[in-house]
Amino acid sequence: SRRITGYAVSKTLEATGNLTALQMMLGSQKLQSEGLIHHSDRGSQYIDKEYRSLLKAKGIRISMCKEAWENAYSERVNRTIKEEYLQWWSINNFKELKNCVEKAVKHYNYNRKHHSLGYQTPVCFEETLSTLEETQRPKMKIYKKQELNIIYNK
C-alpha cells in the first residue's frame, strides 16, 4: 500500500532509531507479524543483534540485499520525504525535524495520491483493499533482475 507504518528520527545510525520505528510498526499493524518479510540493506542498524532478535521473536523473516538497486523502494520513500516535504520547510533544530517528519508521514499516508495505487492515498488504498476478496485484489509488480536472497537467522 506504500503506507509508512513505522519511522523515527535519530542523530546516529545506531539501531535505537530503527528499533523505535520497528516497534511503532508492530504496534500499528492490524495484521499478524507472522509471515511478514523485513527487507533492508546491510547497514549496522539492521544487523544489530537486538533488532534482529525482535524481528525473529515476531516471526518476521529477514531479507537483506547485496546490491543497492534491491532496496529501491525503501530508498525512494526516504527521498520522497526529504525532497517533497523536508527541503521546503524551515527546520532549525532536532525537535523541529522530528515534528516535521511526523507531519510529512501523516500527509504522505493520508493525502498524497500515488499513480501506482490508482491515484489513491496509501490509507485509502488499504481501506479499498480490505473490502475485496483475495482473488479480486490487484497484483503487485516488482522489478527485479535476480532472485532476492532471504536470510533466515537461526
Side-chain angles (χ1 to χ4, degrees):
S1 71
R2 300 188 184 277
R3 182 175 180 206
I4 299 170
T5 57
Y7 61 92
V9 178
S10 179
K11 292 181 180 181
T12 72
L13 285 178
E14 294 176 10
T16 53
N18 287 54
L19 279 164
T20 299
L22 179 59
Q23 289 163 339
M24 179 188 288
M25 184 279 298
L26 291 169
S28 73
Q29 287 295 312
K30 296 173 190 169
L31 303 172
Q32 295 287 340
S33 59
E34 190 78 29
L36 293 178
I37 299 172
H38 178 282
H39 185 71
S40 69
D41 61 23
R42 293 178 183 269
S44 61
Q45 66 274 42
Y46 299 110
I47 61 172
D48 177 80
K49 185 177 180 180
E50 187 178 354
Y51 191 80
R52 289 183 297 119
S53 293
L54 179 56
L55 290 169
K56 193 173 168 183
K58 296 296 182 179
I60 301 172
R61 291 188 294 167
I62 300 171
S63 167
M64 292 186 181
C65 61
K66 292 182 180 178
E67 304 292 334
W69 63 264
E70 293 177 330
N71 207 29
Y73 289 106
S74 296
E75 297 303 332
R76 178 65 175 106
V77 75
N78 289 335
R79 187 179 99 189
T80 297
I81 295 298
K82 290 176 185 176
E83 291 182 359
E84 293 185 18
Y85 299 96
L86 301 180
Q87 78 172 7
W88 301 103
W89 297 335
S90 177
I91 301 170
N92 299 307
N93 56 53
F94 189 72
K95 183 179 179 181
E96 287 180 12
L97 175 62
K98 288 176 80 168
N99 289 336
C100 286
V101 168
E102 181 177 352
K103 180 180 168 182
V105 169
K106 187 175 282 189
H107 186 274
Y108 180 90
N109 285 337
Y110 289 90
N111 300 101
R112 188 181 187 279
K113 296 178 180 177
H114 295 260
H115 171 74
S116 62
L117 302 178
Y119 293 100
Q120 295 183 78
T121 67
V123 169
C124 212
F125 181 77
E126 284 183 358
E127 290 169 358
T128 300
L129 202 61
S130 70
T131 66
L132 300 175
E133 295 293 327
E134 192 170 327
T135 57
Q136 297 174 312
R137 294 179 183 166
K139 302 295 180 213
M140 183 176 177
K141 296 177 185 175
I142 299 177
Y143 171 78
K144 61 181 179 178
K145 284 184 160 182
Q146 65 186 39
E147 196 69 30
L148 295 179
N149 294 322
I150 305 238
I151 299 170
Y152 297 94
N153 295 309
K154 297 180 181 177

